[in-house]
C-alpha cells in the first residue's frame, strides 16, 4: 500500500462495533463498504481503478482507497490491512455489465475479473467472502462462469450459500434483484434476512417526496447534487404526456419515437416513463439521470430524477460526500458512479448476516 490512512472508526449511533475488518474489491464510491461501516465494521481498504471514487470512498468510510486493477493486484498488497486477530472479510462486486442481458453473451475481457477475485481469495484465504452481482450470473454461459467461481471457493475449503435478493425485501426502494453470495471457512453461512414485506416496501414518495421541486435542467441552490438534466422541447412534451408507472404507449402517436414504431422496438416499454409515488423505483442504472434511459421520469415534475434523488434511491445517506468541497457537479460522471454502486441498505443486510455467522461460530 502506498497510502495508508489512520483508521479511527467512529461508532455509528445505536450500532456496536463488530469483530472483523473488511477489504472491498471493485469498491467504487463505497456503497457496499458503507453498509458494513454503518453496521459497525472497520473498513480496511477499498480497491478500484477509478480515481474519481477515492474521495467519496475514503471520506465516508475512513479507509484507504487503492487505485489498482484487480487483474494486477496481489493479496500481499492488502492483507496486512486486516485487523490482526479478528475475522477477515473480503467482499466485492465485479463489474456486472458483461453478465447482463444486454451483453447478449458476447465475449468480454471483464469476465476475467471474477476469476481474479477467485485468485485473490485463494491467495489470502479470508475467513468470509461475499460477492454481489446480477441475478443472471448463475445462468450466464450455461452457468460456467459462476460455477467456476463457486468451485474455486469450495476447493479452498469454503462452504458457499447464495440467493437472489429482491431489494425491496431488505428495505431498498428499488425493484431490483441482485445475486448475493456468502462463503465461509467456518461453517454454513447465513444469508441476509428479509426485513420487509410487500405491504411495507419503501416507496419513491417515502424516499424522495420531501425534496424541493425542480424544473428540467435546474439545480437546488442549497444542495448541489439535487440537480437534473435538461430536456429537449420534444422530450418535455413527452414527459408531460407520460403517466406515473405508464409507458410511451400512453402518448399521442405524433410523440412516439420512430424506433418504437418499428416492430423491433415494441418490447422496450420501460423507457421514457415516470416513476410511481406509491411503489419502489425501478432499478437505478448508470444513466438514471436521463428521461429516455428508463422509467426515470419524476412522478409529477416534468423532468428526470436528480443526482440526489438517485443517490437516495440507492439508499446513500444525505450526508454522504461524493465530491470535494467546491468541486462542480458533473451529472454524467456522478450518475455513473452512483448507478454502479451496491445499495447501502442491501450492504447492511449482508453485513448483518455475516455478523450473525461470526457470533454463531464464535469467531
Amino acid at each position: 500500500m502506498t497510502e495508508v490512512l489512520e483508521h479511527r472508526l467512529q461508532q455509528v449511533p445505536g450500532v456496536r462495533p463488530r469483530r472483523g475488518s473488511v477489504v472491498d474489491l471493485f469498491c467504487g464510491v463505497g456503497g457496499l463498504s458503507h453498509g458494513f461501516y454503518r453496521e459497525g465494521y472497520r473498513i480496511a481498504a477499498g480497491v478500484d481503478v477509478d480515481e474519481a471514487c477515492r474521495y467519496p470512498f475514503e471520506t465516508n468510510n475512513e479507509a484507504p482507497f487503492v487505485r489498482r486493477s484487480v487483474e494486477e493486484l496481489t493479496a500481499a498488497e492488502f492483507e496486512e490491512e486486516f485487523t490482526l486477530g479478528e475475522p477477515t472479510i473480503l467482499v466485492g462486486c465485479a463489474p456486472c455489465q458483461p453478465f447482463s442481458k444486454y451483453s447478449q453473451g458476447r465475449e468480454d475481457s471483464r469476465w476475467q475479473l471474477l476469476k481474479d477475485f477467485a485468485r485473490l481469495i485463494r491467495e489470502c484465504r479470508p475467513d468470509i467472502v461475499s460477492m454481489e452481482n446480477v441475478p443472471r450470473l448463475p445462468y450466464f454461459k450455461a452457468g460456467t462462469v459462476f460455477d467456476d467461481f463457486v468451485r474455486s471457493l469450495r476447493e479452498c475449503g469454503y462452504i458457499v450459500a447464495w440467493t437472489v435478493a429482491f431489494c425491496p425485501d431488505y428495505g431498498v426502494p428499488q425493484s431490483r434483484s441482485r445475486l448475493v453470495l456468502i462463503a465461509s471457512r467456518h461453517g454454513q453461512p447465513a444469508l441476509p434476512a428479509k426485513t420487509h414485506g410487500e405491504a411495507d416496501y419503501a416507496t419513491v414518495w417515502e424516499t424522495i417526496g420531501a425534496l424541493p421541486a425542480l424544473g428540467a435542467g435546474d439545480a437546488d441552490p442549497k444542495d448541489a447534487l439535487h440537480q437534473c438534466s435538461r430536456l429537449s422541447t420534444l422530450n418535455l412534451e413527452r414527459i408531460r404526456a407520460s403517466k406515473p408507472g405508464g409507458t410511451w404507449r400512453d402518448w399521442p402517436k405524433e410523440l412516439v419515437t420512430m424506433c418504437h414504431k418499428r416492430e423491433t422496438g415494441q418490447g422496450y416499454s420501460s423507457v421514457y416513463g415516470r416513476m410511481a409515488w406509491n411503489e419502489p423505483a425501478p432499478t437505478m442504472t448508470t444513466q438514471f439521470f436521463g428521461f429516455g434511459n428508463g422509467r426515470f421520469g419524476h412522478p409529477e415534475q416534468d423532468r428526470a430524477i436528480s443526482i440526489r434523488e438517485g443517490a437516495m434511491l440507492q439508499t446513500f445517506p444525505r450526508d454522504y460526500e461524493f465530491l470535494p468541497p467546491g468541486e462542480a457537479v458533473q451529472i454524467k460522471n456522478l450518475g455513473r458512479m452512483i448507478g454502479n454502486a451496491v445499495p447501502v441498505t442491501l450492504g447492511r443486510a449482508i453485513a448483518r448476516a455475516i455478523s450473525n455467522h461470526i457470533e454463531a461460530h464464535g469467531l
Side-chain angles (χ1 to χ4, degrees):
M1 292 277 180
T2 57
E3 181 174 352
V4 178
L5 301 182
E6 178 186 356
H7 297 293
R8 57 191 191 284
L9 178 64
Q10 299 172 354
Q11 183 177 350
V12 179
V15 177
R16 62 182 175 85
R18 304 286 186 179
R19 276 182 49 79
S21 54
V22 180
V23 169
D24 186 355
L25 305 179
F26 321 101
C27 66
V29 294
L32 181 57
S33 281
H34 203 62
F36 277 83
Y37 178 84
R38 294 186 75 84
E39 288 297 319
Y41 283 98
R42 184 178 81 84
I43 309 304
V47 180
D48 203 281
V49 295
D50 189 351
E51 179 63 24
C53 294
R54 179 184 297 277
Y55 179 84
F57 183 86
E58 291 189 339
T59 302
N60 298 284
N61 297 294
E62 300 185 293
F65 174 91
V66 182
R67 187 183 183 185
R68 197 90 159 89
S69 167
V70 170
E71 294 172 288
E72 301 170 351
L73 187 71
T74 66
E77 294 177 81
F78 64 79
E79 57 187 345
E80 65 181 15
E81 298 298 322
F82 285 122
T83 301
L84 189 64
E86 293 191 0
T88 54
I89 305 165
L90 185 65
V91 303
C93 175
C96 57
Q97 291 87 347
F99 312 118
S100 75
K101 64 182 179 180
Y102 303 108
S103 73
Q104 304 296 323
R106 291 186 292 269
E107 294 287 335
D108 192 312
S109 61
R110 288 173 293 181
W111 295 354
Q112 177 62 39
L113 294 174
L114 199 58
K115 295 180 181 179
D116 283 306
F117 192 177
R119 170 182 59 80
L120 291 167
I121 293 167
R122 290 194 301 271
E123 288 180 14
C124 74
R125 303 293 175 101
D127 292 295
I128 298 166
V129 171
S130 183
M131 189 266 287
E132 191 260 10
N133 217 289
V134 292
R136 187 170 178 260
L137 180 57
Y139 314 103
F140 183 83
K141 286 290 185 180
T144 55
V145 176
F146 181 70
D147 287 348
D148 287 347
F149 182 77
V150 171
R151 185 180 305 110
S152 177
L153 290 176
R154 287 174 174 157
E155 288 173 352
C156 291
Y158 289 90
I159 299 173
V160 179
W162 63 275
T163 189
V164 173
F166 185 52
C167 289
D169 289 338
Y170 303 90
V172 179
Q174 276 182 70
S175 56
R176 73 190 293 165
S177 294
R178 299 295 288 180
L179 180 143
V180 174
L181 177 148
I182 299 177
S184 172
R185 295 196 293 113
H186 303 281
Q188 182 67 41
L191 288 169
K194 297 178 182 180
T195 57
H196 291 66
E198 189 171 355
D200 63 349
Y201 283 164
T203 66
V204 173
W205 171 256
E206 292 166 344
T207 308
I208 66 170
L211 290 178
L214 295 175
D218 287 349
D220 181 353
K222 297 181 179 179
D223 181 357
L225 264 67
H226 189 35
Q227 64 173 272
C228 56
S229 300
R230 295 183 177 88
L231 288 178
S232 66
T233 301
L234 180 56
N235 277 342
L236 192 56
E237 290 184 56
R238 286 169 172 161
I239 197 168
R240 286 171 175 164
S242 298
K243 302 175 183 177
T247 74
W248 51 264
R249 293 188 178 93
D250 301 320
W251 300 345
K253 289 183 179 179
E254 63 269 19
L255 294 181
V256 177
T257 65
M258 289 303 298
C259 65
H260 290 140
K261 291 178 180 178
R262 303 187 191 103
E263 185 175 348
T264 54
Q266 292 297 306
Y268 293 92
S269 60
S270 62
V271 297
Y272 290 101
R274 287 186 186 269
M275 297 177 181
W277 275 132
N278 62 347
E279 299 174 3
T283 298
M284 293 294 102
T285 70
T286 58
Q287 300 184 62
F288 67 79
F289 52 85
F291 169 54
N293 298 328
R295 191 170 282 115
F296 300 131
H298 190 278
E300 60 183 37
Q301 297 165 33
D302 295 333
R303 60 176 178 85
I305 60 171
S306 71
I307 291 298
R308 172 65 70 198
E309 289 165 332
M312 292 173 69
L313 291 165
Q314 282 281 63
T315 62
F316 281 100
R318 284 293 297 271
D319 61 356
Y320 202 89
E321 296 184 43
F322 290 96
L323 294 171
E327 185 169 317
V329 171
Q330 296 184 29
I331 289 179
K332 185 175 180 179
N333 289 344
L334 272 179
R336 172 182 55 79
M337 291 192 292
I338 292 168
N340 270 331
V342 176
V344 174
T345 299
L346 180 60
R348 294 190 72 165
I350 295 169
R352 287 194 297 269
I354 290 174
S355 298
N356 292 338
H357 177 73
I358 287 172
E359 291 179 5
H361 291 82
L363 301 182

